[in-house]
Amino acid sequence: KAGVTQTPRYLIKTRGQQVTLSCSPISGHRSVSWYQQTPGQGLQFLFEYFSETQRNKGNFPGRFSGRQFSNSRSEMNVSTLELGDSALYLCASSRGQGAGLQFFGPGTRLTVL
Amino acid sequence: GENVEQHPSTLSVQEGDSAVIKCTYSDSASNYFPWYKQELGKRPQLIIDIRSNVGEKKDQRIAVTLNKTAKHFSLHITETQPEDSAVYFCAASKGGSYIPTFGRGTSLIVHP
């Protein structure tokens, strides 16, 4: 079974721009969660999508948004980028909603200049 | 919400020694505790997990213990090897529709 994939793997943007990241879960997994990982804050939960609906949301500003498609693929969007948005963005998929076995993707390294 | 504290933030050991990483959680309703290993530049990977109906679980050189009363759980690695060097994250979850809360991570360095 193919693992979780994320595209692109690396991205460089400038302040004020917007970015869209993509995550394809393991086949059969219906839950996709997004995390932001930085050296200072560790792994911080952004949001979770299950069956095309946002089920859980972390404590991030409205500039961070996402969606999930009928094939369970998910996209995350960050608008009006700030320098502090530079991070590794990880998605994780699991079979059911919420907790349980989560499999992480390789991440998208976003650098905001 | 749930709060997970992880200690130490850095752990340096000699090859062959044991390593112990401890986590405490705040929500007594949490019942699922996974541990992830993240090597430099790679994705976090689940290495072991434990549910609240079990006190200890082992998988070769890795073991996890859980003390529900004290609300803490620990990762034990025996006979450490240089390839064990990585950042280890603990997490706690209430199961069901709840997302895990992660600890800040422990950077384990195993010196040959």
Side-chain angles (χ1 to χ4, degrees), chain A residues 2-6 23-26 29 32 91-94 103-106, chain B residues 43:
Chain A
V4 180
T5 58
Q6 290 186 247
C23 172
S24 292
I26 292 171
H29 285 194
V32 174
C91 77
S93 78
S94 60
F103 295 88
F104 282 87
Chain B
R43 72 188 77 190

Side-chain angles (χ1 to χ4, degrees), chain B residues 56-75:
Chain B
E56 183 176 3
K57 185 176 178 181
K58 286 184 181 178
D59 183 3
Q60 298 182 355
R61 296 186 296 108
I62 293 172
V64 58
T65 58
L66 171 65
N67 183 325
K68 285 192 296 182
T69 305
K71 289 191 280 190
H72 67 71
F73 56 112
S74 300
L75 178 72

Side-chain angles (χ1 to χ4, degrees), chain A residues 37 40 56 97 99 101 104-105, chain B residues 38 43 46 93 96-98 104:
Chain A
Q37 186 176 31
N56 288 286
Q97 181 184 342
L101 207 54
F104 282 87
Chain B
Q38 187 176 27
R43 72 188 77 190
L46 181 74
S93 168
S97 62
Y98 294 94
R104 287 285 192 98

